[in-house]
Amino acid sequence: MTLGGGRTALGEVTTHNIKQLKKLNSVVFPVSYNDKFYKDVLQAGELARLAYYNDVVVGGVCCRIDLSEGQRRLYIMTLGCLAPYRRLGIGRLMLDHVLQYVEKDGSFDSIFLHVQVNNESAISFYQKFGFSIVETKPAYYKRIEPADAHVLLRAEQKTLRKTNEEQVNHPTVNGTMSNGPTTNNSNHHNPHQHYNGRAK
Amino acid sequence: MSANPSLPNNRTLPPKEYALFKRILKCYEHKLYKNGLKFAKQILGNGQFAEHAETLAMKGLILNALGRREEAYEYVRRGLRNDLKSHTCWHVYGLLQRSERKYDEAIKCYRNALKWDSANVQILRELSIVQVHTRDLVGYRDTRNTLFQLKPAHRASWIGLAMSYHLLKDYDMSFKILDAFSKTLTIRDSYDYEKSELLLYQSAILEESGDLQSAKKFLLDHERDIYDKYTFHESICRLYLNLGEYGRAEAGYRKLLSMNQEDGAYYEGLAKAMQIADDPAAKLQLYRNVERQYPRAYLPKRLPLDCAEGEEFLTYLRPYLAAALDKGTPSLFTDIKPMYQNPAKVIQIGNLVESMANSLRDYGKFSKDDEKVASASALLWTYYYLAQHYDYHRDTDTALAYIEKAIEHTPTLIELFMCKGRIYKHMGDMNTAAQWMDEARELDTADRFINSKSAKYQLRANRVEAAAAVCGKFTREGASPMENLNEMQCMWFQTECALAYQRLGQLGDALKKCHEVDRHFTEIIDDQYDFHSYCLRKMTLRSYMELLRLEDVLRAHPFYFKAARCAIEVYIHLYDHPLQNKSADEQISPVVEAVFSDISIIYVTYAFQADRRHFHF
């Protein structure tokens, strides 16, 4: 895929490159995430992706499945891109990946996320993809101003009804997604990553 | 190994025991050592044959293969004492010596064996191998001659004989033997790569002899049967050039360029053939023409930078750099670095990249007036280049300022942290350097290159254990990293280790590492042993010749030089400052000291040889 003169691609998050995601998030978001967050990301399979532009990591997306309130919803925890690489279609690339995942799965009620109320560019970005503000949570953020957050939500049409609780918890999409980590695959998009280490 | 039962006296065994003896030989050949010992016991257990010489010798040989060296010597010597006229006993004794790399002793044993069985092909073959291994070239030729007379029908007899003359620089004889040999070959219809190799080897002999005309004619006459087309064309072009047949050389190099546009030697040859090697303008024209013919080739774009000057240099440099920076080429600085020998070019490069950085920052283009918008990562790579540019001049403040700008732009690029580490290294701040290199390593723990870099920087900061732990992430699991690195002959690590220990004053540890490196070189030289017979069979004669020549100057390798220099420094230091106030164990006794000085003489000799061979460090 070529955008703005550069090649873009998505790649997996593994134990080997997770520090790049941490670095990225630390500059893109005013909120810092704890070790638990990154531990979960390593288990997230297709729900976590790094975005590459000309073979350099410039973006990342991390989601989790939320089963609260008797619903099965996809929650986008983070989706961000380094400032010099915005407006090149990298956000779209990542969000498309998430939307495709949800569509293939077919059993999600909705996708939702939180956005700081003053983050207009993010709000309009998600609105383009069919998200809308459904709620505003006052004092959602602890250490940043403004502390209020909008909840953006996009309702999904379920194509597949799953009754088995276990299946719901462990979705398989075309048989490619497992609940476990997929850390030992080398990432073909990243020239720095040549996994020639020991056998797992 | 053959045992001749017809020989007289106590050597002869009755049929039953003789059958057992033959089974011992079989077992040894097939490495069935336990069974071999069992059969030996059956013969020796019979009081009548308890002192049977050849059985005792064979038992010793098997024990040696099992690593029981002292017993092995005992049995072999006992066997030999019992029958000094047995070629088998002498042969076995030779094998034993050879296995311990006592080559001179082995040769003596083989010669004794041949005294009693002068036509024993197996012993002659082994003798010849030890001779070429120790470069007893005259002896090698004589043995090959004997083998040739005994086995003229064997292919290896011819090849070995020719090779022995070649090694003695008797090109004429060597060529004649091979020529006679190839006439005996039946022509096969199908693809015969071995024949092709033989032909190329013959032409190499002619070329080395200085008879370029014959070499050329030989190659042309056999073109049809030579399948290694690159070597064929490269050789014939070189011959045309050296014979002054420039027109043919030019056509040849153009042919080579059509096969591969990315070999600089072809461009060089072509320029020589066109007699424009010293004419930059003509060379530039040549590169333009080649580029027009092969628009996707890389070298026609790179080579002009070496010969263009002044304004013209800029016209080539600008698009070259812009393309590389736009794409994101981590190796760009290394690629351009050779031009830093030219002060005028350095200034041009610096100014151009600075102006590119400014335009990219302000307009997102390499130049304000460009139509094309640069890629979003171009500014990043431009900052990265400038950091290296200023680091090269040891303007570390500016270099650091640029690397910080790059990190601010894209904090996920691993190269930036490596570069930052390198800048601190050049400042002499090894601790901070190691810290940044490790930061880079953590960004991609699956990358062995950056892993090694980080380990090396730890060693520069004298943190040997930390370095071993870093390397341990890639060494075999269950083994200590230090031991595994030694096993893998990881010499850069061991040499850096030695230097760290030297700085830390742990001289014993430093010497240990230096000697490990020395042992690797001994091992590499020993490893050629198996190739002496293998290459004759496989006909890889040109490569084999290269191998022999490489092994002759192996210790001139920079790795050796570096470790040897460290060892010499440590030994000289120990000589000048004998250890004092140390426990008896740590004290270097006068005897050990004498050994040390011997060893350091050896090192100095090797280092001196290395120096004479024009290796510059």
Side-chain angles (χ1 to χ4, degrees):
Chain A
M1 199 173 190
T2 304
L3 286 164
R7 285 162 287 121
T8 57
L10 294 179
E12 287 173 33
V13 180
T14 72
T15 50
H16 293 299
N17 63 19
I18 191 150
K19 192 95 190 279
Q20 295 189 54
L21 180 68
K22 285 186 198 176
K23 266 227 145 81
L24 181 99
N25 285 350
S26 74
V27 294
V28 172
F29 304 114
V31 181
S32 72
Y33 296 89
N34 57 20
D35 290 347
K36 169 83 167 62
F37 174 89
Y38 290 103
K39 216 177 136 200
D40 292 345
V41 163
L42 284 177
Q43 306 291 319
E46 286 198 62
L47 296 177
R49 279 292 179 267
L50 290 168
Y52 292 84
Y53 176 86
N54 279 352
D55 302 320
V56 182
V57 171
V58 298
V61 56
C62 306
C63 309
R64 67 176 157 78
I65 296 165
D66 185 293
L67 296 172
S68 61
E69 298 171 25
Q71 287 192 311
R72 184 158 196 268
R73 300 182 296 176
L74 192 85
Y75 178 59
I76 301 177
M77 299 188 285
T78 63
L79 186 151
C81 177
L82 292 172
Y85 304 91
R86 286 177 194 158
R87 312 209 57 77
L88 293 169
I90 287 159
R92 171 186 289 272
L93 184 69
M94 293 189 285
L95 190 56
D96 273 343
H97 171 78
V98 174
L99 296 180
Q100 269 173 31
Y101 172 83
V102 166
E103 194 187 334
K104 271 189 196 165
D105 179 273
S107 65
F108 283 100
D109 295 289
S110 61
I111 308 173
F112 75 111
L113 59 127
H114 292 94
V115 172
Q116 222 176 342
V117 288
N118 65 339
N119 192 346
E120 284 163 24
S121 62
I123 293 164
S124 67
F125 170 76
Y126 285 107
Q127 280 171 341
K128 269 192 284 183
F129 288 88
F131 286 79
S132 50
I133 299 170
V134 292
E135 191 188 345
T136 303
K137 287 190 174 167
Y140 175 78
Y141 296 110
K142 285 183 189 111
R143 275 178 280 275
I144 55 169
E145 277 300 321
D148 301 352
H150 289 313
V151 176
L152 282 158
L153 185 135
R154 182 176 120 140
E156 295 297 318
Q157 288 207 316
K158 290 192 192 185
T159 55
L160 202 79
R161 202 67 240 181
K162 285 187 187 165
T163 47
N164 186 319
E165 189 60 27
E166 199 183 58
Q167 264 186 312
V168 173
N169 277 331
H170 304 281
T172 48
V173 181
N174 290 342
T176 55
M177 187 205 162
S178 77
N179 203 31
T182 51
T183 52
N184 55 354
N185 290 327
S186 61
N187 183 330
H188 303 294
H189 307 298
N190 183 351
H192 311 302
Q193 183 163 346
H194 305 291
Y195 188 80
N196 52 1
R198 304 165 300 206
K200 282 273 162 186
Chain B
M1 192 162 308
S2 65
N4 191 339
S6 65
L7 285 171
N9 66 45
N10 63 348
R11 202 167 303 151
T12 328
L13 291 167
K16 182 178 157 247
E17 276 73 19
Y18 180 62
L20 282 169
F21 183 72
K22 282 185 84 167
R23 291 175 81 172
I24 301 176
L25 301 181
K26 267 248 154 58
C27 288
Y28 176 72
E29 274 166 29
H30 293 98
K31 298 199 162 97
L32 300 167
Y33 301 130
K34 286 242 165 73
N35 292 345
L37 287 179
K38 206 175 71 195
F39 296 132
K41 199 174 171 188
Q42 285 179 28
I43 299 177
L44 298 171
N46 181 338
Q48 202 187 336
F49 308 114
E51 287 300 314
H52 183 249
E54 295 182 347
T55 307
L56 287 168
M58 280 311 296
K59 181 172 178 179
L61 190 59
I62 292 172
L63 287 169
N64 187 54
L66 290 167
R68 291 153 69 177
R69 215 181 57 194
E70 279 183 27
E71 288 171 85
Y73 265 93
E74 206 175 292
Y75 278 99
V76 173
R77 288 207 174 109
R78 197 164 117 208
L80 195 56
R81 264 200 308 275
N82 288 344
D83 186 355
L84 282 164
K85 291 181 179 177
S86 156
H87 69 85
T88 304
C89 289
W90 280 111
H91 186 182
V92 166
Y93 197 37
L95 289 173
L96 205 60
Q97 306 273 16
R98 200 220 74 200
S99 75
E100 282 196 74
R101 296 174 194 144
K102 293 180 187 162
Y103 297 118
D104 291 345
E105 300 297 316
I107 288 179
K108 277 183 212 156
C109 293
Y110 291 146
R111 287 209 185 286
N112 271 321
L114 289 167
K115 243 185 243 169
W116 309 108
D117 187 5
S118 61
N120 189 313
V121 172
Q122 200 173 349
I123 297 174
L124 280 165
R125 244 183 236 143
E126 271 160 43
L127 173 65
S128 78
I129 291 172
V130 177
Q131 283 170 325
V132 68
H133 191 71
T134 56
R135 303 295 189 272
D136 171 10
L137 300 179
V138 174
Y140 181 58
R141 182 198 58 198
D142 295 346
T143 310
R144 294 301 334 181
N145 254 314
T146 313
L147 274 167
F148 179 72
Q149 274 148 30
L150 286 169
K151 295 275 174 193
H154 283 192
R155 197 172 67 166
S157 298
W158 291 79
I159 306 291
L161 187 63
M163 204 140 226
S164 70
Y165 280 103
H166 184 193
L167 284 167
L168 286 166
K169 296 197 167 60
D170 188 343
Y171 303 108
D172 193 42
M173 190 64 172
S174 179
F175 181 80
K176 277 181 188 151
I177 294 164
L178 291 176
D179 210 39
F181 170 65
S182 56
K183 280 181 188 129
T184 69
L185 291 176
T186 47
I187 293 158
R188 285 185 237 172
D189 311 324
S190 60
Y191 185 81
D192 187 348
Y193 199 83
E194 290 186 357
K195 172 87 189 288
S196 162
E197 275 299 298
L198 182 64
L199 292 169
L200 285 171
Y201 178 59
Q202 276 180 274
S203 88
I205 291 173
L206 287 174
E207 193 178 343
E208 261 178 56
S209 78
D211 186 357
L212 304 187
Q213 280 293 354
S214 301
K216 181 189 78 177
K217 183 167 182 309
F218 184 84
L219 274 177
L220 292 174
D221 286 349
H222 295 90
E223 179 173 1
R224 204 175 54 93
D225 292 325
I226 295 172
Y227 296 101
D228 183 345
K229 290 300 174 197
Y230 281 97
T231 306
F232 172 80
H233 287 292
E234 285 169 15
S235 307
I236 198 84
C237 284
R238 192 174 53 237
L239 289 165
Y240 282 142
L241 258 193
N242 292 332
L243 285 165
E245 297 181 28
Y246 295 119
R248 291 208 174 93
E250 182 181 338
Y253 280 114
R254 288 201 189 274
K255 165 85 183 158
L256 277 170
L257 267 186
S258 75
M259 293 157 74
N260 175 12
Q261 298 96 47
E262 307 299 351
D263 190 331
Y266 298 169
Y267 292 85
E268 224 173 277
L270 185 54
K272 277 188 198 156
M274 294 168 73
Q275 292 167 280
I276 57 167
D278 301 317
D279 182 350
K283 278 207 285 190
L284 288 171
Q285 185 60 46
L286 168 66
Y287 299 142
R288 272 195 297 271
N289 292 341
V290 178
E291 194 191 2
R292 212 166 299 137
Q293 203 179 348
Y294 309 103
R296 291 172 64 86
Y298 159 80
L299 275 183
K301 300 176 178 70
R302 171 65 185 78
L303 291 174
L305 298 181
D306 292 333
C307 56
E309 302 272 350
E311 272 306 305
E312 195 170 30
F313 173 64
L314 272 182
T315 62
Y316 284 105
L317 183 67
R318 187 187 298 274
Y320 186 83
L321 288 182
L325 293 168
D326 198 58
K327 189 171 161 228
T329 312
S331 58
L332 182 62
F333 184 76
T334 317
D335 177 23
I336 298 295
K337 208 158 86 174
M339 272 167 262
Y340 279 55
Q341 300 301 319
N342 181 331
K345 285 188 180 178
V346 178
I347 295 168
Q348 285 177 301
I349 294 167
N351 290 342
L352 176 62
V353 183
E354 290 260 18
S355 81
M356 282 175 165
N358 290 336
S359 306
L360 286 167
R361 185 193 59 207
D362 298 338
Y363 310 105
K365 301 171 182 174
F366 282 102
S367 166
K368 190 182 163 189
D369 307 321
D370 281 1
E371 273 183 30
K372 191 178 164 282
V373 176
S375 78
S377 53
L379 181 58
L380 159 73
W381 291 105
T382 308
Y383 285 147
Y384 175 61
Y385 186 92
L386 286 168
Q388 294 170 94
H389 173 83
Y390 284 104
D391 182 45
Y392 180 88
H393 294 104
R394 297 294 182 271
D395 179 353
T396 40
D397 287 345
T398 315
L400 276 178
Y402 273 114
I403 205 68
E404 288 304 341
K405 276 187 191 184
I407 291 173
E408 201 189 319
H409 185 279
T410 306
T412 48
L413 183 62
I414 297 166
E415 278 82 355
L416 303 180
F417 298 96
M418 295 170 67
C419 179
K420 193 167 174 180
R422 197 174 308 119
I423 296 169
Y424 277 104
K425 182 183 82 172
H426 291 154
M427 287 164 73
D429 183 350
M430 297 304 168
N431 284 320
T432 314
Q435 193 187 314
W436 285 111
M437 200 50 92
D438 207 53
E439 176 90 8
R441 182 189 65 79
E442 286 184 337
L443 285 174
D444 187 353
T445 54
D447 183 331
R448 191 170 195 160
F449 174 78
I450 176 69
N451 178 277
S452 296
K453 275 277 173 205
S454 174
K456 184 168 164 181
Y457 274 53
Q458 296 286 2
L459 289 172
R460 290 288 169 91
N462 298 340
R463 289 197 286 264
V464 179
E465 272 176 35
V470 168
C471 282
K473 302 202 183 287
F474 280 89
T475 55
R476 186 156 44 84
E477 255 167 320
S480 107
M482 277 291 198
E483 279 166 30
N484 194 233
L485 289 165
N486 184 37
E487 229 173 276
M488 295 190 297
Q489 305 187 328
C490 186
M491 291 197 250
W492 68 263
F493 180 86
Q494 293 176 294
T495 307
E496 289 293 341
C497 239
L499 294 168
Y501 281 132
Q502 188 190 7
R503 287 190 295 270
L504 289 165
Q506 292 171 238
L507 303 183
D509 291 321
L511 287 175
K512 187 174 166 226
K513 289 287 155 200
C514 292
H515 281 274
E516 281 173 3
V517 172
D518 182 51
R519 266 199 295 281
H520 295 325
F521 277 86
T522 305
E523 247 174 69
I524 293 169
I525 288 170
D526 285 334
D527 285 345
Q528 74 178 300
Y529 197 90
D530 295 333
F531 290 97
H532 300 309
S533 51
Y534 178 82
C535 290
L536 290 194
R537 287 204 309 275
K538 291 286 168 192
M539 282 286 205
T540 52
L541 306 176
R542 288 179 304 133
S543 316
Y544 175 60
M545 213 42 130
E546 264 178 57
L547 172 77
L548 293 186
R549 287 170 182 169
L550 167 75
E551 301 275 6
D552 285 343
V553 295
L554 193 68
R555 278 191 163 86
H557 192 279
F559 281 7
Y560 190 80
F561 190 92
K562 211 171 172 187
R565 187 162 71 180
C566 176
I568 292 165
E569 282 170 8
V570 172
Y571 281 127
I572 290 174
H573 179 87
L574 283 172
Y575 187 83
D576 291 341
H577 310 87
L579 297 180
Q580 276 156 12
N581 304 325
K582 291 281 169 92
S583 69
D585 287 348
E586 285 173 277
Q587 190 61 261
I588 297 183
S589 71
V591 180
V592 177
E593 207 175 314
V595 174
F596 276 179
S597 64
D598 274 356
I599 292 170
S600 77
I601 286 167
I602 295 167
Y603 276 118
V604 172
T605 314
Y606 283 137
F608 181 66
Q609 284 176 352
D611 205 34
R612 268 200 320 203
R613 292 191 176 100
H614 311 293
F615 278 83
H616 298 290
F617 302 93

